[in-house]
Amino acid sequence: MTTTSILFPIIITFIFLLTTNLLLNVTASQPITFPTLAIHTTTVSSNDFAVTVMPTLSAYYFVEARIGLPRFPVNLALSTTIPTTWVQSADCVVCLDVPSKSMNFEPADGFEPVLGDDTKYCVPPVAKTATLGDPCRYVLGFSQGILGNDTFSLVSPPSTSSPPSSLEINHFIFGVGKQNTVNFGAHSPIVGQLGLGKGHPSSTLSQLNISRFSYCLPPSNSNHQNTTATLEFGPKAGLTTAYYYNTPIVEGPPDHPFDYYLNLTEIAVNNASVYTPSKQRRGEPGFVIDVGATVTLLYKEAYIRVKDAVMEYLSSNFGLYPVYPSRPVTKPPTYELCYYNQDLESITTLAYPNISFHFEGGAVLQLPESQAFHNFVDELQTCLVMIPKTGTEPSRLGASQQRGWRFTYDLLQSELSFAPNGC
Ligand SMILES: *[C@@H]1O[C@H](CO)[C@@H](O)[C@H](O)[C@H]1NC(C)=O
Ligand SMILES: *[C@@H]1O[C@H](CO)[C@@H](O)[C@H](O)[C@H]1NC(C)=O
Ligand SMILES: *[C@@H]1O[C@H](CO)[C@@H](O)[C@H](O)[C@H]1NC(C)=O
Ligand SMILES: *[C@@H]1O[C@H](CO)[C@@H](O)[C@H](O)[C@H]1NC(C)=O
Ligand SMILES: *[C@@H]1O[C@H](CO)[C@@H](O)[C@H](O)[C@H]1NC(C)=O
Ligand SMILES: *[C@@H]1O[C@H](CO)[C@@H](O)[C@H](O)[C@H]1NC(C)=O
């Protein structure tokens, strides 16, 4: 009797594992439990400053800003991987394909280049040193040009009644983009990036003296006139949600000083762990949250485990097999795991697998089906919208997989909080 009661949980676990294995034929999976202790509560409900966040069709998210006097309107894509804000200049050599006119930055309009190599703004890794008297040049991933300063403001949604309705900064340092190689999609309204990365004197956050910000991303097909999705700044940013998960923001490698690295502990498919990162594994590149990446890029090992688990689940439970050989659905990016819509629609009981990302401290980001799979109507296929990556760049949790959640970055606490239904 005693033996039985001791063995009972072990037997149950064994039966569970056996059943899971028989059903899904996933040999490496371990069932994991979802912690509940990590959920925090709050009652504060006001924000310091909020700006409307709008989507483009290709899942870039942007805010509206004004530069100079008279105020020139610019749409800037959110980026958490670069610290400094930049805007395309009318005299660009390599230019974004934008329908609107770009701004000519002239001293007559209040614009001043940041001169010399003796200011704290002109230091690597953002800026290259300049000769005294010459404007300092910046190089930020997709854009190069000179640093300058002008009046800069972010515009609040009209509905926000609490002051200030516009955040205005005199002598704001930003990049004037002369060579801009990023592709925001055809006829995108975006003419630059609002840098929200940490770490450099020229960063938007240091200049605003802000150590906390929060955003929520609306679906990319939403009518942006109606969206309540916001980017919030200040000590109370993001505190409107009732409960949330917390995970530490950790230091990345020295060559990624601006990125927000997270300690990923697990990726699970239907509550079964399919991937556990290991610092010992060669090539394991770490995991960052990246609002400027449209979709999630996963370290190849991790992607294969997720893909295999999704395939096993759909074949064992519904007799579904992917399109093979897989072919590009959109380019770029290309997706490796796709199913014909006709096959999916023939199964009335179809339930997509739940994919979740688990982080240090018990934080769980469970992706709704619509964020893990996308129906490409024109191609008659539905694909897993994640991309395997090789090389030493970190895995990136992209914007498409962040939609609907509210993410709050606290640089003083080195903590990321997130909550569902945050828009
Ligand atoms: C910004 O421009 C003003 C003139 O408009 C100038 O006095 C100031 O030195 C500039 N700041 C920097 C850091 O270049
Ligand atoms: C920045 O903000 C902190 C409080 O958040 C304040 O103590 C400090 O004086 C501010 N610094 C500047 C330069 O405004
Ligand atoms: C947006 O709001 C307008 C009027 O406020 C309404 O007519 C329209 O249906 C709304 N669109 C969506 C997608 O909710
Ligand atoms: C993140 O993970 C690394 C490696 O496992 C560990 O050394 C570090 O302490 C973790 N960071 C935090 C803030 O928990
Ligand atoms: C996964 O865990 C959640 C929360 O604990 C639970 O609601 C759900 O039913 C579980 N799903 C499976 C397939 O076990
Ligand atoms: C996915 O999660 C939802 C909510 O927890 C649950 O209702 C559903 O059954 C899960 N789907 C699968 C395939 O386990």
Side-chain angles (χ1 to χ4, degrees), residues 16 32-34 270-271 354 366:
F16 178 75
I32 53 169
T33 47
F34 282 76
N270 285 337
N271 292 5
N354 288 322
Q366 168 127 347

Side-chain angles (χ1 to χ4, degrees), residues 68-70 103 105-113 148-151 171 174:
L69 293 169
M103 185 173 174
F105 293 94
E106 301 283 1
D109 303 328
F111 174 79
E112 286 289 334
N149 88 46
D150 208 335
T151 308
H171 308 310
F174 60 96

Side-chain angles (χ1 to χ4, degrees), residues 8-70:
F8 189 64
I10 300 169
I11 291 166
I12 294 292
T13 312
F14 181 70
I15 290 170
F16 178 75
L17 279 173
L18 200 66
T19 328
T20 313
N21 287 354
L22 286 177
L23 191 66
L24 305 179
N25 194 22
V26 179
T27 43
S29 295
Q30 299 290 322
I32 53 169
T33 47
F34 282 76
T36 48
L37 288 174
I39 296 176
H40 304 258
T41 60
T42 175
T43 51
V44 184
S45 67
S46 68
N47 305 307
D48 294 345
F49 183 75
V51 198
T52 307
V53 175
M54 292 163 278
T56 69
L57 284 176
S58 45
Y60 283 101
Y61 286 88
F62 65 95
V63 295
E64 220 181 294
R66 302 270 189 277
I67 292 183
L69 293 169

Side-chain angles (χ1 to χ4, degrees), residues 145-174:
I146 59 164
L147 287 181
N149 88 46
D150 208 335
T151 308
F152 178 88
S153 57
L154 287 166
V155 189
S156 284
S159 55
T160 319
S161 51
S162 56
S165 63
S166 154
L167 182 70
E168 192 160 291
I169 314 139
N170 293 320
H171 308 310
F172 179 72
I173 312 283
F174 60 96

Side-chain angles (χ1 to χ4, degrees), residues 215-405:
Y215 60 73
C216 171
L217 309 179
S220 61
N221 58 358
S222 69
N223 177 346
H224 66 71
Q225 301 303 328
N226 299 22
T227 182
T228 55
T230 53
L231 167 67
E232 301 169 4
F233 292 110
K236 294 175 195 155
L239 288 177
T240 45
T241 46
Y243 61 96
Y244 50 91
Y245 289 115
N246 273 349
T247 190
I249 292 169
V250 299
E251 258 333 288
D255 59 338
H256 283 81
F258 315 128
D259 281 306
Y260 296 97
Y261 273 78
L262 306 177
N263 268 355
L264 179 76
T265 53
E266 211 100 57
I267 303 177
V269 175
N270 285 337
N271 292 5
S273 172
V274 296
Y275 182 73
T276 307
S278 157
K279 280 280 175 292
Q280 281 72 45
R281 194 180 288 121
R282 268 171 65 87
E284 180 77 47
F287 193 93
V288 305
I289 177 164
D290 184 354
V291 75
T294 55
V295 297
T296 294
L297 293 169
L298 278 188
Y299 176 51
K300 199 157 155 259
E301 295 289 312
Y303 176 84
I304 290 167
R305 305 296 287 276
V306 172
K307 176 183 163 185
D308 286 352
V310 169
M311 279 169 61
E312 288 289 350
Y313 166 81
L314 289 174
S315 68
S316 312
N317 292 277
F318 305 105
L320 286 166
Y321 294 92
V323 177
Y324 186 83
S326 62
R327 59 188 172 87
V329 166
T330 58
K331 50 180 178 165
T334 57
Y335 301 109
E336 283 192 3
L337 182 64
C338 301
Y339 291 82
Y340 285 118
N341 288 342
Q342 199 183 344
D343 293 349
L344 297 168
E345 283 155 13
S346 70
I347 316 247
T348 49
T349 55
L350 180 68
Y352 282 92
N354 288 322
I355 300 175
S356 51
F357 292 89
H358 300 244
F359 300 97
E360 176 125 18
V364 183
L365 184 74
Q366 168 127 347
L367 300 184
E369 150 197 333
S370 61
Q371 279 172 28
F373 299 91
H374 185 79
N375 183 345
F376 294 90
V377 178
D378 293 347
E379 316 253 359
L380 313 173
Q381 294 178 34
T382 292
C383 303
L384 172 67
V385 283
M386 292 180 197
I387 296 170
K389 57 160 288 294
T390 48
T392 55
E393 278 293 298
S395 296
R396 296 182 180 277
L397 182 72
S400 302
Q401 279 72 47
Q402 295 179 35
R403 290 189 302 230
W405 292 75

